[in-house]
Structure formats: C-alpha cells, structure tokens
Amino acid sequence: MARISASVYTSHVPAIGAAMDLGKTAEPYWQPLFKGYEPSRQWLKDNTPDVIFLVYNDHATAFSLEIIPTFAIGTAAEYKPADEGWGPRPVPVVKGHPELASHIAQSVIQQDFDLTIVNRMDVDHGLTVPLSLMCGQPEAWPCPVIPFAVNVVQYPVPSGNRCFQLGRAIKKAIRSFDGDLNVQIWGTGGMSHQLQGPRAGLINREFDNMFLDRLIADPAGLAQVPHIDYVREAGSEGIELVMWLIARGAMSDTDRGGAAPHVHHRFYHVPASNTAVGHLILENR
Ligand code: DHB
Ligand code: FE
C-alpha cells in the first residue's frame, strides 16, 4: 500500500526562481525569504519521499486559452521546464511516475472526478519554483513528481470544497496503490496577490494568516469559503489558494477518526515580487 506521509504548502512566485537562477539569494531583499525555507530543505533531505504529488497551476504555458482543463494529471515519464519567455529555467527535467499517476487517474475518475490525462507537457514556474524552494539547486530533483494542474487562471475555476473533496479522493487512490510508496502531496500558489487592475499589489496579511490557521485546524470549514471572498480579500490571483485545499484534503484527519497533523514548520513573508509568501509543512501522525 502507498501512503501519504506529509503535505507541503508554498507560494510559487516566479521572481523567486529568477533570484535563485541568477545567484541573488543572499541579497538583502531575498535573504529573509530563503532563510524561511532553510529548515524545509533540511526536512526534505531527512524525509525524502518516493514520489511527490504536486498540485499547481499552469499559467497559460502548457495549456493556452484554447484548451482549459479544470483538473489535469500528468502521466508522462518526464516533463521539461517550460520556456515562459526568457528561455527555460536552468533546472533539472522533472521525472514522473507513470504507474502511480495512472492508478490515481483510474481511481479518482471512478470516484466521479473528471480528470484530464496529460501524456506530454512542459511545466512552468507554478511547479518548478516550489521544487527550487524546497530542494535548492540539485543536479536532479530528489524523487519523481506527479504534476497535477488546476485551472485557477480562467473563470470558472473549481470551488474550495470541490478541491477539498478531490484531495480526499486522491488520498483514497494513493492508499489503494499496490506498491509500498511514501508519497508527499504539495499544494502550491497563493498567498494574497493581485497582478493587474487598480488593486495591483494588494497584500492582505490578516487574511493570509487566517487562511494558514484554518488550513491547519479547520480545513473543512475553510473549504466553504466562496470565490468572491478570495478575490475580495486575497486579490484576483489569491484564488490560487484553493489548490492548498487539495493537499489538505488528502491528509489523514479528513477521515473519520484521523488524528490532526503535526505542524512541522510555518513561515510567512512579505513581499516577494507582488506576492505574500506563505509556507507550511504538515506531517501525518
Ligand atoms: C507573480 C505571482 C504569481 O503567482 C505569478 O504566477 C506570476 C507573478 C508575482 O508576484 O510577480
Ligand atoms: Fe501564479
């Protein structure tokens, strides 16, 4: 049986990737941010899983506005870093896990969630920046990754509750895999940010910290928050936060009788580019 040992949550600000790729992490602007991830990098070294199930959003890179899957699971053997206009980031190719990904697709679709199956795609900052934050600059990523792309770019986007219930289905799928695998699930994107319009630059520390508190202690209640509240409080791109509810739904305490997860690390920092950065590591007991 495969099992989910922990979940990781982190923002994916593209400028963080650029700061790492251009050797700027020690600059005064960036230093406090990267310091917040030092314990996380050590934790991941000490707790390297067999597979990371990485929930993220594509930013009209792999999927243009011609085709917009709500939920897409990567079943390929590998994924190349995308060219987002400045050339591909100089980071390793992402190796997939086709066997587990195909099993999850089978199980989750049979649990009535309609996934798009993706056998070829490039991965943008939504996926590579969380890996860079958690792993630094290795020659190869520490384990295979299953990319799971969620549409939070073009309305209509899925509700928080849909994401939370989907996380529970993914947990059930992983547990029914016939193979002894330690899996982590990562939820990425967020926190408050708005990139365009009169409110560009919006940051809401109070909302972000309330979101972190409730993600830990009241995820089912948090899943009831409607889109309009995210957009009003966290900005138009703050809606990326619904992806964190997929990872949270996959933790053990969302079963009846499951124990609350252990909070291994919590970090919040403003600003990184136009974005508030939030980060959590939750371990199943
Ligand atoms: C920024 C944040 C994002 O989530 C993104 O996808 C692009 C840019 C930013 O803060 O600059
Ligand atoms: Fe984004």
mmCIF file of all heavy atoms in Angstrom, residues 9-55:
data_model
loop_
_atom_site.group_PDB
_atom_site.id
_atom_site.type_symbol
_atom_site.label_atom_id
_atom_site.label_comp_id
_atom_site.label_asym_id
_atom_site.label_seq_id
_atom_site.Cartn_x
_atom_site.Cartn_y
_atom_site.Cartn_z
ATOM 1 N N TYR A 9 3.040 23.123 1.680
ATOM 2 C CA TYR A 9 2.299 24.226 1.050
ATOM 3 C C TYR A 9 3.277 25.359 0.824
ATOM 4 O O TYR A 9 4.027 25.714 1.743
ATOM 5 C CB TYR A 9 1.158 24.688 1.983
ATOM 6 C CG TYR A 9 0.296 23.527 2.421
ATOM 7 C CD1 TYR A 9 0.700 22.707 3.490
ATOM 8 C CD2 TYR A 9 -0.874 23.207 1.747
ATOM 9 C CE1 TYR A 9 -0.058 21.599 3.864
ATOM 10 C CE2 TYR A 9 -1.638 22.105 2.121
ATOM 11 C CZ TYR A 9 -1.227 21.304 3.183
ATOM 12 O OH TYR A 9 -1.971 20.212 3.550
ATOM 13 N N THR A 10 3.274 25.910 -0.367
ATOM 14 C CA THR A 10 4.167 27.051 -0.609
ATOM 15 C C THR A 10 3.711 27.877 -1.804
ATOM 16 O O THR A 10 3.143 27.358 -2.761
ATOM 17 C CB THR A 10 5.623 26.596 -0.832
ATOM 18 O OG1 THR A 10 6.434 27.765 -1.089
ATOM 19 C CG2 THR A 10 5.791 25.661 -2.013
ATOM 20 N N SER A 11 4.002 29.170 -1.735
ATOM 21 C CA SER A 11 3.803 30.071 -2.868
ATOM 22 C C SER A 11 4.783 29.707 -3.978
ATOM 23 O O SER A 11 5.760 28.999 -3.752
ATOM 24 C CB SER A 11 4.052 31.515 -2.422
ATOM 25 O OG SER A 11 3.262 31.821 -1.292
ATOM 26 N N HIS A 12 4.549 30.265 -5.183
ATOM 27 C CA HIS A 12 5.380 29.880 -6.342
ATOM 28 C C HIS A 12 5.914 31.083 -7.130
ATOM 29 O O HIS A 12 6.259 30.940 -8.307
ATOM 30 C CB HIS A 12 4.585 28.946 -7.264
ATOM 31 C CG HIS A 12 3.394 29.586 -7.943
ATOM 32 N ND1 HIS A 12 2.255 28.884 -8.249
ATOM 33 C CD2 HIS A 12 3.166 30.852 -8.382
ATOM 34 C CE1 HIS A 12 1.388 29.689 -8.846
ATOM 35 N NE2 HIS A 12 1.927 30.897 -8.943
ATOM 36 N N VAL A 13 5.989 32.231 -6.512
ATOM 37 C CA VAL A 13 6.400 33.487 -7.164
ATOM 38 C C VAL A 13 7.553 33.287 -8.176
ATOM 39 O O VAL A 13 8.639 32.854 -7.790
ATOM 40 C CB VAL A 13 6.877 34.505 -6.117
ATOM 41 C CG1 VAL A 13 6.991 35.888 -6.733
ATOM 42 C CG2 VAL A 13 5.957 34.524 -4.904
ATOM 43 N N PRO A 14 7.342 33.622 -9.453
ATOM 44 C CA PRO A 14 8.393 33.373 -10.448
ATOM 45 C C PRO A 14 9.706 34.107 -10.153
ATOM 46 O O PRO A 14 10.787 33.598 -10.469
ATOM 47 C CB PRO A 14 7.774 33.854 -11.761
ATOM 48 C CG PRO A 14 6.529 34.608 -11.397
ATOM 49 C CD PRO A 14 6.096 34.129 -10.059
ATOM 50 N N ALA A 15 9.626 35.283 -9.517
ATOM 51 C CA ALA A 15 10.854 36.035 -9.219
ATOM 52 C C ALA A 15 11.759 35.272 -8.239
ATOM 53 O O ALA A 15 12.972 35.495 -8.208
ATOM 54 C CB ALA A 15 10.492 37.416 -8.653
ATOM 55 N N ILE A 16 11.176 34.377 -7.456
ATOM 56 C CA ILE A 16 11.994 33.552 -6.549
ATOM 57 C C ILE A 16 12.886 32.629 -7.383
ATOM 58 O O ILE A 16 14.078 32.448 -7.083
ATOM 59 C CB ILE A 16 11.090 32.721 -5.599
ATOM 60 C CG1 ILE A 16 10.359 33.650 -4.620
ATOM 61 C CG2 ILE A 16 11.903 31.667 -4.866
ATOM 62 C CD1 ILE A 16 9.311 32.937 -3.751
ATOM 63 N N GLY A 17 12.308 32.054 -8.424
ATOM 64 C CA GLY A 17 13.099 31.198 -9.317
ATOM 65 C C GLY A 17 14.212 31.989 -9.978
ATOM 66 O O GLY A 17 15.359 31.540 -10.049
ATOM 67 N N ALA A 18 13.873 33.197 -10.427
ATOM 68 C CA ALA A 18 14.883 34.044 -11.078
ATOM 69 C C ALA A 18 15.985 34.417 -10.088
ATOM 70 O O ALA A 18 17.172 34.415 -10.442
ATOM 71 C CB ALA A 18 14.214 35.290 -11.655
ATOM 72 N N ALA A 19 15.617 34.714 -8.832
ATOM 73 C CA ALA A 19 16.626 35.070 -7.818
ATOM 74 C C ALA A 19 17.603 33.911 -7.620
ATOM 75 O O ALA A 19 18.820 34.116 -7.496
ATOM 76 C CB ALA A 19 15.948 35.432 -6.497
ATOM 77 N N MET A 20 17.084 32.692 -7.611
ATOM 78 C CA MET A 20 17.963 31.523 -7.455
ATOM 79 C C MET A 20 18.816 31.309 -8.705
ATOM 80 O O MET A 20 20.025 31.100 -8.609
ATOM 81 C CB MET A 20 17.129 30.270 -7.166
ATOM 82 C CG MET A 20 16.487 30.308 -5.788
ATOM 83 S SD MET A 20 15.533 28.832 -5.413
ATOM 84 C CE MET A 20 16.833 27.594 -5.337
ATOM 85 N N ASP A 21 18.191 31.384 -9.868
ATOM 86 C CA ASP A 21 18.916 31.109 -11.115
ATOM 87 C C ASP A 21 19.998 32.152 -11.369
ATOM 88 O O ASP A 21 21.010 31.860 -11.998
ATOM 89 C CB ASP A 21 17.936 31.092 -12.296
ATOM 90 C CG ASP A 21 16.828 30.049 -12.132
ATOM 91 O OD1 ASP A 21 16.995 29.126 -11.300
ATOM 92 O OD2 ASP A 21 15.791 30.171 -12.827
ATOM 93 N N LEU A 22 19.783 33.391 -10.880
ATOM 94 C CA LEU A 22 20.742 34.483 -11.143
ATOM 95 C C LEU A 22 21.680 34.725 -9.956
ATOM 96 O O LEU A 22 22.417 35.718 -9.938
ATOM 97 C CB LEU A 22 19.983 35.770 -11.498
ATOM 98 C CG LEU A 22 19.079 35.670 -12.749
ATOM 99 C CD1 LEU A 22 18.212 36.912 -12.907
ATOM 100 C CD2 LEU A 22 19.920 35.441 -14.010
ATOM 101 N N GLY A 23 21.631 33.867 -8.956
ATOM 102 C CA GLY A 23 22.566 33.954 -7.816
ATOM 103 C C GLY A 23 22.334 35.154 -6.911
ATOM 104 O O GLY A 23 23.276 35.733 -6.374
ATOM 105 N N LYS A 24 21.059 35.527 -6.705
ATOM 106 C CA LYS A 24 20.762 36.719 -5.898
ATOM 107 C C LYS A 24 20.203 36.400 -4.513
ATOM 108 O O LYS A 24 19.684 37.294 -3.831
ATOM 109 C CB LYS A 24 19.723 37.581 -6.644
ATOM 110 C CG LYS A 24 20.245 38.151 -7.945
ATOM 111 C CD LYS A 24 19.213 39.054 -8.579
ATOM 112 C CE LYS A 24 19.835 39.745 -9.787
ATOM 113 N NZ LYS A 24 18.933 40.666 -10.441
ATOM 114 N N THR A 25 20.268 35.156 -4.095
ATOM 115 C CA THR A 25 19.552 34.772 -2.872
ATOM 116 C C THR A 25 20.118 35.409 -1.612
ATOM 117 O O THR A 25 19.422 35.510 -0.608
ATOM 118 C CB THR A 25 19.541 33.238 -2.701
ATOM 119 O OG1 THR A 25 20.907 32.801 -2.652
ATOM 120 C CG2 THR A 25 18.837 32.553 -3.850
ATOM 121 N N ALA A 26 21.389 35.848 -1.647
ATOM 122 C CA ALA A 26 21.990 36.464 -0.451
ATOM 123 C C ALA A 26 21.731 37.966 -0.384
ATOM 124 O O ALA A 26 22.073 38.615 0.610
ATOM 125 C CB ALA A 26 23.491 36.182 -0.434
ATOM 126 N N GLU A 27 21.121 38.530 -1.417
ATOM 127 C CA GLU A 27 20.833 39.972 -1.396
ATOM 128 C C GLU A 27 19.836 40.289 -0.275
ATOM 129 O O GLU A 27 18.974 39.460 0.030
ATOM 130 C CB GLU A 27 20.267 40.415 -2.757
ATOM 131 C CG GLU A 27 21.328 40.388 -3.846
ATOM 132 C CD GLU A 27 20.821 40.923 -5.179
ATOM 133 O OE1 GLU A 27 19.633 41.330 -5.275
ATOM 134 O OE2 GLU A 27 21.629 40.931 -6.121
ATOM 135 N N PRO A 28 19.937 41.502 0.324
ATOM 136 C CA PRO A 28 19.082 41.833 1.469
ATOM 137 C C PRO A 28 17.585 41.632 1.188
ATOM 138 O O PRO A 28 16.841 41.233 2.075
ATOM 139 C CB PRO A 28 19.388 43.318 1.724
ATOM 140 C CG PRO A 28 20.730 43.536 1.131
ATOM 141 C CD PRO A 28 20.896 42.563 0.003
ATOM 142 N N TYR A 29 17.154 41.890 -0.032
ATOM 143 C CA TYR A 29 15.724 41.723 -0.351
ATOM 144 C C TYR A 29 15.295 40.263 -0.221
ATOM 145 O O TYR A 29 14.194 39.960 0.247
ATOM 146 C CB TYR A 29 15.460 42.226 -1.778
ATOM 147 C CG TYR A 29 14.000 42.107 -2.206
ATOM 148 C CD1 TYR A 29 13.079 43.096 -1.883
ATOM 149 C CD2 TYR A 29 13.553 40.994 -2.925
ATOM 150 C CE1 TYR A 29 11.748 42.989 -2.261
ATOM 151 C CE2 TYR A 29 12.223 40.880 -3.309
ATOM 152 C CZ TYR A 29 11.325 41.880 -2.978
ATOM 153 O OH TYR A 29 10.005 41.773 -3.352
ATOM 154 N N TRP A 30 16.176 39.345 -0.679
ATOM 155 C CA TRP A 30 15.787 37.936 -0.760
ATOM 156 C C TRP A 30 16.194 37.094 0.444
ATOM 157 O O TRP A 30 15.601 36.048 0.712
ATOM 158 C CB TRP A 30 16.389 37.301 -2.027
ATOM 159 C CG TRP A 30 15.746 37.793 -3.286
ATOM 160 C CD1 TRP A 30 16.308 38.569 -4.249
ATOM 161 C CD2 TRP A 30 14.400 37.542 -3.710
ATOM 162 N NE1 TRP A 30 15.407 38.820 -5.251
ATOM 163 C CE2 TRP A 30 14.222 38.202 -4.942
ATOM 164 C CE3 TRP A 30 13.320 36.824 -3.180
ATOM 165 C CZ2 TRP A 30 13.006 38.160 -5.654
ATOM 166 C CZ3 TRP A 30 12.125 36.788 -3.881
ATOM 167 C CH2 TRP A 30 11.975 37.454 -5.096
ATOM 168 N N GLN A 31 17.220 37.555 1.162
ATOM 169 C CA GLN A 31 17.808 36.728 2.216
ATOM 170 C C GLN A 31 16.773 36.244 3.252
ATOM 171 O O GLN A 31 16.736 35.049 3.577
ATOM 172 C CB GLN A 31 18.959 37.517 2.861
ATOM 173 C CG GLN A 31 19.960 36.670 3.612
ATOM 174 C CD GLN A 31 19.552 36.480 5.059
ATOM 175 O OE1 GLN A 31 18.744 37.243 5.587
ATOM 176 N NE2 GLN A 31 20.097 35.445 5.676
ATOM 177 N N PRO A 32 15.890 37.140 3.766
ATOM 178 C CA PRO A 32 14.912 36.675 4.780
ATOM 179 C C PRO A 32 13.948 35.614 4.227
ATOM 180 O O PRO A 32 13.523 34.719 4.945
ATOM 181 C CB PRO A 32 14.132 37.953 5.146
ATOM 182 C CG PRO A 32 14.909 39.088 4.592
ATOM 183 C CD PRO A 32 15.765 38.575 3.473
ATOM 184 N N LEU A 33 13.629 35.727 2.948
ATOM 185 C CA LEU A 33 12.731 34.738 2.355
ATOM 186 C C LEU A 33 13.395 33.360 2.334
ATOM 187 O O LEU A 33 12.824 32.360 2.785
ATOM 188 C CB LEU A 33 12.353 35.151 0.931
ATOM 189 C CG LEU A 33 11.528 34.051 0.258
ATOM 190 C CD1 LEU A 33 10.053 34.379 0.251
ATOM 191 C CD2 LEU A 33 12.014 33.709 -1.098
ATOM 192 N N PHE A 34 14.630 33.305 1.817
ATOM 193 C CA PHE A 34 15.279 31.999 1.688
ATOM 194 C C PHE A 34 15.616 31.397 3.051
ATOM 195 O O PHE A 34 15.617 30.177 3.215
ATOM 196 C CB PHE A 34 16.495 32.084 0.759
ATOM 197 C CG PHE A 34 16.079 32.244 -0.683
ATOM 198 C CD1 PHE A 34 16.160 33.480 -1.320
ATOM 199 C CD2 PHE A 34 15.542 31.176 -1.387
ATOM 200 C CE1 PHE A 34 15.738 33.638 -2.630
ATOM 201 C CE2 PHE A 34 15.113 31.319 -2.696
ATOM 202 C CZ PHE A 34 15.209 32.555 -3.324
ATOM 203 N N LYS A 35 15.851 32.276 4.035
ATOM 204 C CA LYS A 35 16.103 31.777 5.400
ATOM 205 C C LYS A 35 14.896 30.986 5.929
ATOM 206 O O LYS A 35 15.049 29.980 6.619
ATOM 207 C CB LYS A 35 16.408 32.968 6.320
ATOM 208 C CG LYS A 35 17.084 32.548 7.594
ATOM 209 C CD LYS A 35 17.777 33.697 8.283
ATOM 210 C CE LYS A 35 18.296 33.288 9.656
ATOM 211 N NZ LYS A 35 18.936 31.966 9.680
ATOM 212 N N GLY A 36 13.702 31.438 5.553
ATOM 213 C CA GLY A 36 12.480 30.756 5.995
ATOM 214 C C GLY A 36 12.330 29.351 5.430
ATOM 215 O O GLY A 36 11.532 28.558 5.946
ATOM 216 N N TYR A 37 13.060 29.073 4.365
ATOM 217 C CA TYR A 37 12.979 27.741 3.740
ATOM 218 C C TYR A 37 14.162 26.846 4.111
ATOM 219 O O TYR A 37 14.194 25.681 3.705
ATOM 220 C CB TYR A 37 12.875 27.870 2.212
ATOM 221 C CG TYR A 37 11.473 28.268 1.772
ATOM 222 C CD1 TYR A 37 11.072 29.599 1.797
ATOM 223 C CD2 TYR A 37 10.543 27.312 1.363
ATOM 224 C CE1 TYR A 37 9.785 29.975 1.415
ATOM 225 C CE2 TYR A 37 9.265 27.676 0.976
ATOM 226 C CZ TYR A 37 8.884 29.011 1.005
ATOM 227 O OH TYR A 37 7.608 29.360 0.630
ATOM 228 N N GLU A 38 15.120 27.374 4.897
ATOM 229 C CA GLU A 38 16.274 26.539 5.284
ATOM 230 C C GLU A 38 15.837 25.292 6.058
ATOM 231 O O GLU A 38 16.273 24.182 5.734
ATOM 232 C CB GLU A 38 17.288 27.362 6.094
ATOM 233 C CG GLU A 38 18.223 28.147 5.200
ATOM 234 C CD GLU A 38 19.096 29.136 5.978
ATOM 235 O OE1 GLU A 38 19.191 29.002 7.223
ATOM 236 O OE2 GLU A 38 19.663 30.032 5.332
ATOM 237 N N PRO A 39 14.942 25.456 7.081
ATOM 238 C CA PRO A 39 14.506 24.236 7.795
ATOM 239 C C PRO A 39 13.765 23.262 6.874
ATOM 240 O O PRO A 39 13.833 22.049 7.062
ATOM 241 C CB PRO A 39 13.543 24.763 8.869
ATOM 242 C CG PRO A 39 13.687 26.245 8.897
ATOM 243 C CD PRO A 39 14.330 26.682 7.623
ATOM 244 N N SER A 40 13.086 23.799 5.878
ATOM 245 C CA SER A 40 12.304 22.947 4.969
ATOM 246 C C SER A 40 13.225 22.104 4.096
ATOM 247 O O SER A 40 12.938 20.938 3.818
ATOM 248 C CB SER A 40 11.429 23.823 4.078
ATOM 249 O OG SER A 40 10.785 24.789 4.868
ATOM 250 N N ARG A 41 14.315 22.710 3.657
ATOM 251 C CA ARG A 41 15.258 21.948 2.812
ATOM 252 C C ARG A 41 15.892 20.810 3.607
ATOM 253 O O ARG A 41 16.062 19.705 3.096
ATOM 254 C CB ARG A 41 16.336 22.877 2.252
ATOM 255 C CG ARG A 41 15.759 23.803 1.199
ATOM 256 C CD ARG A 41 16.811 24.666 0.543
ATOM 257 N NE ARG A 41 16.173 25.611 -0.362
ATOM 258 C CZ ARG A 41 16.809 26.569 -1.014
ATOM 259 N NH1 ARG A 41 18.120 26.724 -0.853
ATOM 260 N NH2 ARG A 41 16.152 27.372 -1.831
ATOM 261 N N GLN A 42 16.219 21.100 4.866
ATOM 262 C CA GLN A 42 16.781 20.038 5.719
ATOM 263 C C GLN A 42 15.733 18.952 5.953
ATOM 264 O O GLN A 42 16.033 17.758 5.853
ATOM 265 C CB GLN A 42 17.256 20.636 7.056
ATOM 266 C CG GLN A 42 18.042 19.644 7.912
ATOM 267 C CD GLN A 42 19.256 19.069 7.167
ATOM 268 O OE1 GLN A 42 20.052 19.803 6.593
ATOM 269 N NE2 GLN A 42 19.378 17.741 7.133
ATOM 270 N N TRP A 43 14.510 19.384 6.235
ATOM 271 C CA TRP A 43 13.413 18.421 6.468
ATOM 272 C C TRP A 43 13.228 17.516 5.256
ATOM 273 O O TRP A 43 13.075 16.307 5.388
ATOM 274 C CB TRP A 43 12.119 19.180 6.776
ATOM 275 C CG TRP A 43 10.904 18.301 6.894
ATOM 276 C CD1 TRP A 43 10.475 17.623 8.007
ATOM 277 C CD2 TRP A 43 9.960 17.994 5.848
ATOM 278 N NE1 TRP A 43 9.325 16.914 7.712
ATOM 279 C CE2 TRP A 43 8.992 17.128 6.405
ATOM 280 C CE3 TRP A 43 9.849 18.373 4.504
ATOM 281 C CZ2 TRP A 43 7.915 16.629 5.658
ATOM 282 C CZ3 TRP A 43 8.786 17.876 3.763
ATOM 283 C CH2 TRP A 43 7.837 17.023 4.344
ATOM 284 N N LEU A 44 13.252 18.111 4.042
ATOM 285 C CA LEU A 44 13.030 17.296 2.839
ATOM 286 C C LEU A 44 14.195 16.316 2.633
ATOM 287 O O LEU A 44 13.978 15.187 2.188
ATOM 288 C CB LEU A 44 12.830 18.188 1.609
ATOM 289 C CG LEU A 44 12.372 17.447 0.350
ATOM 290 C CD1 LEU A 44 11.027 16.732 0.561
ATOM 291 C CD2 LEU A 44 12.283 18.390 -0.841
ATOM 292 N N LYS A 45 15.415 16.759 2.987
ATOM 293 C CA LYS A 45 16.567 15.828 2.893
ATOM 294 C C LYS A 45 16.373 14.647 3.842
ATOM 295 O O LYS A 45 16.666 13.505 3.507
ATOM 296 C CB LYS A 45 17.866 16.561 3.267
ATOM 297 C CG LYS A 45 18.407 17.415 2.142
ATOM 298 C CD LYS A 45 19.919 17.625 2.315
ATOM 299 C CE LYS A 45 20.456 18.464 1.168
ATOM 300 N NZ LYS A 45 20.611 19.878 1.509
ATOM 301 N N ASP A 46 15.872 14.955 5.050
ATOM 302 C CA ASP A 46 15.677 13.903 6.061
ATOM 303 C C ASP A 46 14.421 13.069 5.788
ATOM 304 O O ASP A 46 14.271 11.999 6.363
ATOM 305 C CB ASP A 46 15.535 14.534 7.464
ATOM 306 C CG ASP A 46 16.788 15.286 7.881
ATOM 307 O OD1 ASP A 46 17.858 15.009 7.306
ATOM 308 O OD2 ASP A 46 16.695 16.156 8.781
ATOM 309 N N ASN A 47 13.518 13.603 5.012
ATOM 310 C CA ASN A 47 12.216 12.941 4.778
ATOM 311 C C ASN A 47 11.904 12.881 3.284
ATOM 312 O O ASN A 47 10.799 13.221 2.863
ATOM 313 C CB ASN A 47 11.095 13.710 5.493
ATOM 314 C CG ASN A 47 11.271 13.745 6.992
ATOM 315 O OD1 ASN A 47 10.885 12.824 7.692
ATOM 316 N ND2 ASN A 47 11.888 14.808 7.492
ATOM 317 N N THR A 48 12.895 12.450 2.489
ATOM 318 C CA THR A 48 12.666 12.397 1.046
ATOM 319 C C THR A 48 11.651 11.290 0.746
ATOM 320 O O THR A 48 11.871 10.140 1.116
ATOM 321 C CB THR A 48 13.985 12.118 0.291
ATOM 322 O OG1 THR A 48 14.948 13.091 0.704
ATOM 323 C CG2 THR A 48 13.779 12.218 -1.211
ATOM 324 N N PRO A 49 10.543 11.644 0.087
ATOM 325 C CA PRO A 49 9.547 10.612 -0.218
ATOM 326 C C PRO A 49 9.950 9.826 -1.466
ATOM 327 O O PRO A 49 10.941 10.153 -2.131
ATOM 328 C CB PRO A 49 8.293 11.438 -0.474
ATOM 329 C CG PRO A 49 8.806 12.711 -1.055
ATOM 330 C CD PRO A 49 10.148 12.965 -0.409
ATOM 331 N N ASP A 50 9.172 8.812 -1.799
ATOM 332 C CA ASP A 50 9.384 8.087 -3.054
ATOM 333 C C ASP A 50 8.797 8.866 -4.226
ATOM 334 O O ASP A 50 9.301 8.778 -5.347
ATOM 335 C CB ASP A 50 8.730 6.696 -2.981
ATOM 336 C CG ASP A 50 9.360 5.846 -1.893
ATOM 337 O OD1 ASP A 50 10.598 5.723 -1.884
ATOM 338 O OD2 ASP A 50 8.615 5.334 -1.038
ATOM 339 N N VAL A 51 7.730 9.601 -3.956
ATOM 340 C CA VAL A 51 7.046 10.376 -5.003
ATOM 341 C C VAL A 51 6.449 11.642 -4.379
ATOM 342 O O VAL A 51 5.951 11.603 -3.251
ATOM 343 C CB VAL A 51 5.857 9.591 -5.625
ATOM 344 C CG1 VAL A 51 5.276 10.332 -6.825
ATOM 345 C CG2 VAL A 51 6.248 8.182 -6.028
ATOM 346 N N ILE A 52 6.495 12.745 -5.122
ATOM 347 C CA ILE A 52 5.762 13.961 -4.736
ATOM 348 C C ILE A 52 4.585 14.125 -5.691
ATOM 349 O O ILE A 52 4.767 14.126 -6.924
ATOM 350 C CB ILE A 52 6.669 15.212 -4.801
ATOM 351 C CG1 ILE A 52 7.797 15.121 -3.763
ATOM 352 C CG2 ILE A 52 5.838 16.490 -4.587
ATOM 353 C CD1 ILE A 52 8.886 16.161 -3.942
ATOM 354 N N PHE A 53 3.384 14.245 -5.132
ATOM 355 C CA PHE A 53 2.190 14.572 -5.914
ATOM 356 C C PHE A 53 2.034 16.080 -5.806
ATOM 357 O O PHE A 53 1.709 16.599 -4.734
ATOM 358 C CB PHE A 53 0.979 13.822 -5.344
ATOM 359 C CG PHE A 53 -0.248 13.945 -6.195
ATOM 360 C CD1 PHE A 53 -0.529 13.015 -7.183
ATOM 361 C CD2 PHE A 53 -1.134 14.990 -6.003
ATOM 362 C CE1 PHE A 53 -1.671 13.123 -7.968
ATOM 363 C CE2 PHE A 53 -2.276 15.109 -6.792
ATOM 364 C CZ PHE A 53 -2.540 14.174 -7.770
ATOM 365 N N LEU A 54 2.320 16.798 -6.876
ATOM 366 C CA LEU A 54 2.470 18.253 -6.777
ATOM 367 C C LEU A 54 1.300 18.985 -7.445
ATOM 368 O O LEU A 54 1.177 18.993 -8.677
ATOM 369 C CB LEU A 54 3.818 18.660 -7.387
ATOM 370 C CG LEU A 54 4.407 19.984 -6.877
ATOM 371 C CD1 LEU A 54 5.917 20.032 -7.096
ATOM 372 C CD2 LEU A 54 3.741 21.216 -7.440
ATOM 373 N N VAL A 55 0.442 19.550 -6.619
ATOM 374 C CA VAL A 55 -0.723 20.299 -7.099
ATOM 375 C C VAL A 55 -0.277 21.733 -7.381
ATOM 376 O O VAL A 55 0.278 22.400 -6.498
ATOM 377 C CB VAL A 55 -1.846 20.308 -6.038
ATOM 378 C CG1 VAL A 55 -3.066 21.054 -6.568
ATOM 379 C CG2 VAL A 55 -2.205 18.885 -5.618
#
